[in-house]
Amino acid sequence: MTAKIKWLIPFCVFLPALLSAQFRKYSNEFLNIGAGARGLAMGSAQVASVSDGTAGYWNPAALVHVKNQAQVNIMHAEYFAGIGKYDYANVAIPLSDGKRTIGISVLRFAVDDIPNTVFLVEPDGSINFDNITTFSSADYAFLFSYAQELKMNDPDKKLNLGFNAKVIHRKAGDFASAWGFGFDAGVQYINKKLQVGLVARDVTTTFNAWTYSINDKMREVFYVTQNDIPVKSTELTAPKLIAGASYNFRINKSVNLLAEANLDFTFDGRRNTVISSSAVSIDPKIGLEAAVKNVFFVRAGINNFQKALDDDDSTYSKKIWIYQPALGAGFRLQNVMIDYAFTNLANQSNPLYTHVFSLKLDLVKKNKNK
């Protein structure tokens, strides 16, 4: 990372924000990035159609589609010119009855080499660049998933239920750390080509309990610069409801087209979304996937619709709709699936593009008769 990019993160503003975390509208946002290049390429519209190990993130009920053999999923992505590194790994294990599956997922988002400029200015007012050090900030999440298929009288219909128990650990250098706990619940209904999914995230209100390690010298700097001196605090993540539906359009024997739409419902006040009110805000997501012989896949999606000022308007009074686009592709070779996504962390008018790669591996059981 170049020195110019490092200085785009002024520590004098960044650290006090980290250390004063309490009850926030946006909490544990790294858990909203996504998992797997397939889902990211489809604009994160996944709660209805997901059918692999990444369901532990998108909709735990869909883990029941992992049958007969265990499955491993891994993903890596870098954001902000490599400043932010995002990794995901999952293992899904079907149980012997074929109707239940358990899974473990790990997510990590980290930013390294953040300048610590707390002691940049000496007591006499002079600037001493030798006092600058660096630190890392990392967020971890561990998801423990369970899914079960319920018995239905109609063989064309299926109903799946799933749950997540998650443990969160966040750390900002040696200054602050937090542990958090929460739960998700999901359901998936399948009727031939139609699939419907519903997920309640942070259904019991996920919390992070923060503790701080601030020495006397740093406390003095915070006091002189009129920054709050942090104390033990709790950061809450409000519940979110995600509803989605997908449909498979069989074009011919070789080509299949899958379309999915999701609606994210938040209840923590007005947000900049398509539908916004003090009671509920609704954010739509749309994704498409074309499959050729279930071997080659092409995907596209859009999400994160927001109203923003038009950059071409000299008066800055005109607002336009912006969105976050995504494209991707995938290739299957026997029990190996390789996926790629080209996504935008921001929107089409302020692009922050990144490349995402993920790998899916079905652990085929050995035939004992051979």
Side-chain angles (χ1 to χ4, degrees), residues 319-349:
K319 288 189 175 183
I320 59 173
W321 282 105
I322 60 176
Y323 53 87
Q324 180 177 325
L327 295 170
F331 180 77
R332 186 193 305 275
L333 181 62
Q334 295 183 347
N335 63 318
V336 178
M337 182 80 180
I338 300 174
D339 292 311
Y340 165 77
F342 183 62
T343 68
N344 184 359
L345 193 62
N347 50 67
Q348 85 283 4
S349 65

mmCIF file of all heavy atoms in Angstrom, residues 319-349:
data_model
loop_
_atom_site.group_PDB
_atom_site.id
_atom_site.type_symbol
_atom_site.label_atom_id
_atom_site.label_comp_id
_atom_site.label_asym_id
_atom_site.label_seq_id
_atom_site.Cartn_x
_atom_site.Cartn_y
_atom_site.Cartn_z
ATOM 1 N N LYS A 319 -31.523 15.327 -7.520
ATOM 2 C CA LYS A 319 -31.191 14.007 -7.010
ATOM 3 C C LYS A 319 -31.540 12.939 -8.039
ATOM 4 O O LYS A 319 -32.532 13.052 -8.755
ATOM 5 C CB LYS A 319 -31.930 13.717 -5.694
ATOM 6 C CG LYS A 319 -31.390 14.506 -4.509
ATOM 7 C CD LYS A 319 -32.007 14.033 -3.215
ATOM 8 C CE LYS A 319 -31.369 14.743 -2.023
ATOM 9 N NZ LYS A 319 -31.919 14.245 -0.723
ATOM 10 N N ILE A 320 -30.699 11.925 -8.115
ATOM 11 C CA ILE A 320 -30.900 10.830 -9.051
ATOM 12 C C ILE A 320 -30.775 9.504 -8.295
ATOM 13 O O ILE A 320 -30.215 9.446 -7.201
ATOM 14 C CB ILE A 320 -29.885 10.863 -10.207
ATOM 15 C CG1 ILE A 320 -28.448 10.778 -9.641
ATOM 16 C CG2 ILE A 320 -30.066 12.117 -11.054
ATOM 17 C CD1 ILE A 320 -27.398 10.639 -10.718
ATOM 18 N N TRP A 321 -31.297 8.436 -8.917
ATOM 19 C CA TRP A 321 -31.159 7.107 -8.323
ATOM 20 C C TRP A 321 -29.832 6.498 -8.751
ATOM 21 O O TRP A 321 -29.487 6.498 -9.935
ATOM 22 C CB TRP A 321 -32.305 6.209 -8.755
ATOM 23 C CG TRP A 321 -33.576 6.461 -8.012
ATOM 24 C CD1 TRP A 321 -34.690 7.115 -8.469
ATOM 25 C CD2 TRP A 321 -33.859 6.069 -6.666
ATOM 26 N NE1 TRP A 321 -35.648 7.158 -7.493
ATOM 27 C CE2 TRP A 321 -35.166 6.523 -6.368
ATOM 28 C CE3 TRP A 321 -33.136 5.390 -5.685
ATOM 29 C CZ2 TRP A 321 -35.767 6.314 -5.143
ATOM 30 C CZ3 TRP A 321 -33.727 5.184 -4.455
ATOM 31 C CH2 TRP A 321 -35.029 5.632 -4.190
ATOM 32 N N ILE A 322 -29.097 5.989 -7.798
ATOM 33 C CA ILE A 322 -27.867 5.263 -8.080
ATOM 34 C C ILE A 322 -28.021 3.842 -7.551
ATOM 35 O O ILE A 322 -28.914 3.558 -6.755
ATOM 36 C CB ILE A 322 -26.644 5.949 -7.446
ATOM 37 C CG1 ILE A 322 -26.798 6.034 -5.923
ATOM 38 C CG2 ILE A 322 -26.421 7.323 -8.051
ATOM 39 C CD1 ILE A 322 -25.581 6.602 -5.220
ATOM 40 N N TYR A 323 -27.163 2.939 -7.998
ATOM 41 C CA TYR A 323 -27.283 1.543 -7.605
ATOM 42 C C TYR A 323 -25.907 0.881 -7.680
ATOM 43 O O TYR A 323 -24.943 1.450 -8.215
ATOM 44 C CB TYR A 323 -28.273 0.806 -8.508
ATOM 45 C CG TYR A 323 -27.965 0.951 -9.979
ATOM 46 C CD1 TYR A 323 -27.087 0.077 -10.619
ATOM 47 C CD2 TYR A 323 -28.529 1.981 -10.736
ATOM 48 C CE1 TYR A 323 -26.780 0.214 -11.957
ATOM 49 C CE2 TYR A 323 -28.236 2.129 -12.073
ATOM 50 C CZ TYR A 323 -27.361 1.239 -12.682
ATOM 51 O OH TYR A 323 -27.059 1.407 -14.000
ATOM 52 N N GLN A 324 -25.831 -0.331 -7.167
ATOM 53 C CA GLN A 324 -24.576 -1.086 -7.149
ATOM 54 C C GLN A 324 -24.687 -2.255 -8.121
ATOM 55 O O GLN A 324 -25.433 -3.203 -7.882
ATOM 56 C CB GLN A 324 -24.295 -1.607 -5.737
ATOM 57 C CG GLN A 324 -23.011 -2.410 -5.597
ATOM 58 C CD GLN A 324 -22.767 -2.838 -4.167
ATOM 59 O OE1 GLN A 324 -23.090 -2.124 -3.234
ATOM 60 N NE2 GLN A 324 -22.209 -4.028 -3.982
ATOM 61 N N PRO A 325 -23.944 -2.234 -9.247
ATOM 62 C CA PRO A 325 -24.044 -3.311 -10.230
ATOM 63 C C PRO A 325 -23.032 -4.430 -9.952
ATOM 64 O O PRO A 325 -22.058 -4.246 -9.220
ATOM 65 C CB PRO A 325 -23.704 -2.597 -11.537
ATOM 66 C CG PRO A 325 -22.720 -1.539 -11.116
ATOM 67 C CD PRO A 325 -23.105 -1.113 -9.704
ATOM 68 N N ALA A 326 -23.270 -5.584 -10.564
ATOM 69 C CA ALA A 326 -22.356 -6.716 -10.418
ATOM 70 C C ALA A 326 -22.484 -7.632 -11.628
ATOM 71 O O ALA A 326 -23.560 -7.754 -12.224
ATOM 72 C CB ALA A 326 -22.650 -7.488 -9.140
ATOM 73 N N LEU A 327 -21.373 -8.270 -11.984
ATOM 74 C CA LEU A 327 -21.331 -9.253 -13.053
ATOM 75 C C LEU A 327 -20.481 -10.431 -12.578
ATOM 76 O O LEU A 327 -19.677 -10.297 -11.656
ATOM 77 C CB LEU A 327 -20.725 -8.670 -14.335
ATOM 78 C CG LEU A 327 -21.489 -7.552 -15.044
ATOM 79 C CD1 LEU A 327 -20.624 -6.950 -16.143
ATOM 80 C CD2 LEU A 327 -22.788 -8.095 -15.629
ATOM 81 N N GLY A 328 -20.657 -11.586 -13.241
ATOM 82 C CA GLY A 328 -19.838 -12.720 -12.845
ATOM 83 C C GLY A 328 -20.031 -13.917 -13.739
ATOM 84 O O GLY A 328 -20.880 -13.931 -14.635
ATOM 85 N N ALA A 329 -19.215 -14.931 -13.487
ATOM 86 C CA ALA A 329 -19.288 -16.171 -14.257
ATOM 87 C C ALA A 329 -18.811 -17.317 -13.372
ATOM 88 O O ALA A 329 -18.178 -17.107 -12.329
ATOM 89 C CB ALA A 329 -18.441 -16.084 -15.526
ATOM 90 N N GLY A 330 -19.127 -18.528 -13.796
ATOM 91 C CA GLY A 330 -18.713 -19.700 -13.052
ATOM 92 C C GLY A 330 -18.501 -20.881 -13.972
ATOM 93 O O GLY A 330 -19.034 -20.933 -15.085
ATOM 94 N N PHE A 331 -17.690 -21.836 -13.501
ATOM 95 C CA PHE A 331 -17.387 -23.024 -14.297
ATOM 96 C C PHE A 331 -17.311 -24.227 -13.371
ATOM 97 O O PHE A 331 -16.641 -24.189 -12.337
ATOM 98 C CB PHE A 331 -16.069 -22.847 -15.052
ATOM 99 C CG PHE A 331 -15.689 -24.028 -15.901
ATOM 100 C CD1 PHE A 331 -16.315 -24.245 -17.118
ATOM 101 C CD2 PHE A 331 -14.720 -24.927 -15.477
ATOM 102 C CE1 PHE A 331 -15.975 -25.343 -17.906
ATOM 103 C CE2 PHE A 331 -14.375 -26.022 -16.254
ATOM 104 C CZ PHE A 331 -15.000 -26.232 -17.482
ATOM 105 N N ARG A 332 -18.005 -25.307 -13.739
ATOM 106 C CA ARG A 332 -18.021 -26.528 -12.949
ATOM 107 C C ARG A 332 -17.213 -27.615 -13.654
ATOM 108 O O ARG A 332 -17.386 -27.865 -14.851
ATOM 109 C CB ARG A 332 -19.455 -27.013 -12.736
ATOM 110 C CG ARG A 332 -19.559 -28.209 -11.779
ATOM 111 C CD ARG A 332 -20.940 -28.843 -11.868
ATOM 112 N NE ARG A 332 -21.979 -27.867 -11.628
ATOM 113 C CZ ARG A 332 -22.417 -27.510 -10.420
ATOM 114 N NH1 ARG A 332 -21.873 -28.050 -9.349
ATOM 115 N NH2 ARG A 332 -23.387 -26.615 -10.304
ATOM 116 N N LEU A 333 -16.341 -28.274 -12.904
ATOM 117 C CA LEU A 333 -15.559 -29.389 -13.410
ATOM 118 C C LEU A 333 -15.672 -30.522 -12.404
ATOM 119 O O LEU A 333 -15.003 -30.524 -11.369
ATOM 120 C CB LEU A 333 -14.096 -28.986 -13.612
ATOM 121 C CG LEU A 333 -13.172 -30.060 -14.173
ATOM 122 C CD1 LEU A 333 -13.629 -30.479 -15.574
ATOM 123 C CD2 LEU A 333 -11.722 -29.562 -14.226
ATOM 124 N N GLN A 334 -16.575 -31.459 -12.695
ATOM 125 C CA GLN A 334 -16.873 -32.583 -11.799
ATOM 126 C C GLN A 334 -17.278 -32.065 -10.415
ATOM 127 O O GLN A 334 -18.295 -31.412 -10.279
ATOM 128 C CB GLN A 334 -15.671 -33.537 -11.745
ATOM 129 C CG GLN A 334 -15.401 -34.213 -13.086
ATOM 130 C CD GLN A 334 -14.273 -35.196 -13.028
ATOM 131 O OE1 GLN A 334 -13.489 -35.263 -12.070
ATOM 132 N NE2 GLN A 334 -14.140 -36.005 -14.074
ATOM 133 N N ASN A 335 -16.474 -32.310 -9.395
ATOM 134 C CA ASN A 335 -16.853 -31.904 -8.037
ATOM 135 C C ASN A 335 -16.243 -30.566 -7.627
ATOM 136 O O ASN A 335 -16.270 -30.212 -6.450
ATOM 137 C CB ASN A 335 -16.434 -32.981 -7.035
ATOM 138 C CG ASN A 335 -14.930 -33.177 -6.985
ATOM 139 O OD1 ASN A 335 -14.271 -33.198 -8.032
ATOM 140 N ND2 ASN A 335 -14.387 -33.344 -5.795
ATOM 141 N N VAL A 336 -15.725 -29.802 -8.585
ATOM 142 C CA VAL A 336 -15.100 -28.504 -8.308
ATOM 143 C C VAL A 336 -15.859 -27.406 -9.035
ATOM 144 O O VAL A 336 -16.190 -27.547 -10.218
ATOM 145 C CB VAL A 336 -13.617 -28.490 -8.729
ATOM 146 C CG1 VAL A 336 -13.007 -27.110 -8.483
ATOM 147 C CG2 VAL A 336 -12.839 -29.557 -7.978
ATOM 148 N N MET A 337 -16.129 -26.322 -8.328
ATOM 149 C CA MET A 337 -16.803 -25.169 -8.918
ATOM 150 C C MET A 337 -15.975 -23.929 -8.661
ATOM 151 O O MET A 337 -15.612 -23.635 -7.513
ATOM 152 C CB MET A 337 -18.194 -24.999 -8.289
ATOM 153 C CG MET A 337 -19.002 -23.853 -8.861
ATOM 154 S SD MET A 337 -19.773 -24.295 -10.419
ATOM 155 C CE MET A 337 -20.625 -22.760 -10.815
ATOM 156 N N ILE A 338 -15.648 -23.195 -9.720
ATOM 157 C CA ILE A 338 -14.888 -21.952 -9.605
ATOM 158 C C ILE A 338 -15.777 -20.800 -10.049
ATOM 159 O O ILE A 338 -16.332 -20.824 -11.153
ATOM 160 C CB ILE A 338 -13.604 -21.991 -10.463
ATOM 161 C CG1 ILE A 338 -12.699 -23.146 -10.009
ATOM 162 C CG2 ILE A 338 -12.856 -20.667 -10.375
ATOM 163 C CD1 ILE A 338 -11.491 -23.348 -10.890
ATOM 164 N N ASP A 339 -15.929 -19.796 -9.195
ATOM 165 C CA ASP A 339 -16.796 -18.650 -9.481
ATOM 166 C C ASP A 339 -16.004 -17.358 -9.421
ATOM 167 O O ASP A 339 -15.029 -17.230 -8.656
ATOM 168 C CB ASP A 339 -17.949 -18.585 -8.487
ATOM 169 C CG ASP A 339 -18.927 -19.729 -8.665
ATOM 170 O OD1 ASP A 339 -19.344 -19.975 -9.811
ATOM 171 O OD2 ASP A 339 -19.258 -20.401 -7.661
ATOM 172 N N TYR A 340 -16.465 -16.405 -10.220
ATOM 173 C CA TYR A 340 -15.831 -15.075 -10.269
ATOM 174 C C TYR A 340 -16.924 -14.013 -10.275
ATOM 175 O O TYR A 340 -17.983 -14.191 -10.889
ATOM 176 C CB TYR A 340 -14.971 -14.939 -11.523
ATOM 177 C CG TYR A 340 -14.581 -13.504 -11.844
ATOM 178 C CD1 TYR A 340 -13.579 -12.852 -11.131
ATOM 179 C CD2 TYR A 340 -15.250 -12.799 -12.853
ATOM 180 C CE1 TYR A 340 -13.239 -11.549 -11.418
ATOM 181 C CE2 TYR A 340 -14.907 -11.486 -13.144
ATOM 182 C CZ TYR A 340 -13.910 -10.863 -12.418
ATOM 183 O OH TYR A 340 -13.578 -9.555 -12.691
ATOM 184 N N ALA A 341 -16.657 -12.908 -9.566
ATOM 185 C CA ALA A 341 -17.581 -11.772 -9.562
ATOM 186 C C ALA A 341 -16.807 -10.480 -9.709
ATOM 187 O O ALA A 341 -15.723 -10.318 -9.127
ATOM 188 C CB ALA A 341 -18.394 -11.747 -8.265
ATOM 189 N N PHE A 342 -17.359 -9.584 -10.486
ATOM 190 C CA PHE A 342 -16.813 -8.234 -10.650
ATOM 191 C C PHE A 342 -17.848 -7.290 -10.067
ATOM 192 O O PHE A 342 -18.902 -7.057 -10.657
ATOM 193 C CB PHE A 342 -16.569 -7.939 -12.128
ATOM 194 C CG PHE A 342 -15.943 -6.593 -12.388
ATOM 195 C CD1 PHE A 342 -14.689 -6.284 -11.892
ATOM 196 C CD2 PHE A 342 -16.609 -5.640 -13.148
ATOM 197 C CE1 PHE A 342 -14.110 -5.060 -12.146
ATOM 198 C CE2 PHE A 342 -16.037 -4.404 -13.406
ATOM 199 C CZ PHE A 342 -14.779 -4.112 -12.902
ATOM 200 N N THR A 343 -17.594 -6.796 -8.870
ATOM 201 C CA THR A 343 -18.603 -6.037 -8.154
ATOM 202 C C THR A 343 -18.121 -4.632 -7.848
ATOM 203 O O THR A 343 -16.935 -4.318 -7.945
ATOM 204 C CB THR A 343 -18.977 -6.725 -6.830
ATOM 205 O OG1 THR A 343 -17.862 -6.654 -5.930
ATOM 206 C CG2 THR A 343 -19.331 -8.180 -7.051
ATOM 207 N N ASN A 344 -19.074 -3.813 -7.425
ATOM 208 C CA ASN A 344 -18.801 -2.430 -7.078
ATOM 209 C C ASN A 344 -19.230 -2.225 -5.637
ATOM 210 O O ASN A 344 -20.407 -2.383 -5.307
ATOM 211 C CB ASN A 344 -19.578 -1.496 -8.013
ATOM 212 C CG ASN A 344 -19.252 -0.035 -7.763
ATOM 213 O OD1 ASN A 344 -18.464 0.299 -6.879
ATOM 214 N ND2 ASN A 344 -19.851 0.836 -8.552
ATOM 215 N N LEU A 345 -18.295 -1.902 -4.767
ATOM 216 C CA LEU A 345 -18.616 -1.722 -3.356
ATOM 217 C C LEU A 345 -19.446 -0.471 -3.121
ATOM 218 O O LEU A 345 -20.126 -0.352 -2.111
ATOM 219 C CB LEU A 345 -17.330 -1.657 -2.526
ATOM 220 C CG LEU A 345 -17.487 -1.782 -1.010
ATOM 221 C CD1 LEU A 345 -18.073 -3.137 -0.655
ATOM 222 C CD2 LEU A 345 -16.156 -1.582 -0.308
ATOM 223 N N ALA A 346 -19.406 0.481 -4.053
ATOM 224 C CA ALA A 346 -20.158 1.738 -3.903
ATOM 225 C C ALA A 346 -21.349 1.731 -4.854
ATOM 226 O O ALA A 346 -22.320 1.018 -4.658
ATOM 227 C CB ALA A 346 -19.244 2.935 -4.163
ATOM 228 N N ASN A 347 -21.291 2.517 -5.945
ATOM 229 C CA ASN A 347 -22.384 2.575 -6.905
ATOM 230 C C ASN A 347 -21.812 2.964 -8.254
ATOM 231 O O ASN A 347 -20.612 3.211 -8.394
ATOM 232 C CB ASN A 347 -23.446 3.584 -6.460
ATOM 233 C CG ASN A 347 -22.819 4.931 -6.106
ATOM 234 O OD1 ASN A 347 -22.298 5.625 -6.970
ATOM 235 N ND2 ASN A 347 -22.842 5.285 -4.823
ATOM 236 N N GLN A 348 -22.702 3.021 -9.284
ATOM 237 C CA GLN A 348 -22.208 3.229 -10.639
ATOM 238 C C GLN A 348 -21.642 4.622 -10.858
ATOM 239 O O GLN A 348 -20.856 4.836 -11.783
ATOM 240 C CB GLN A 348 -23.324 2.926 -11.661
ATOM 241 C CG GLN A 348 -24.284 4.072 -11.969
ATOM 242 C CD GLN A 348 -25.325 4.274 -10.868
ATOM 243 O OE1 GLN A 348 -25.273 3.611 -9.842
ATOM 244 N NE2 GLN A 348 -26.260 5.168 -11.090
ATOM 245 N N SER A 349 -21.993 5.597 -10.024
ATOM 246 C CA SER A 349 -21.478 6.951 -10.211
ATOM 247 C C SER A 349 -20.194 7.204 -9.429
ATOM 248 O O SER A 349 -19.511 8.181 -9.666
ATOM 249 C CB SER A 349 -22.548 7.969 -9.778
ATOM 250 O OG SER A 349 -22.796 7.865 -8.391
#
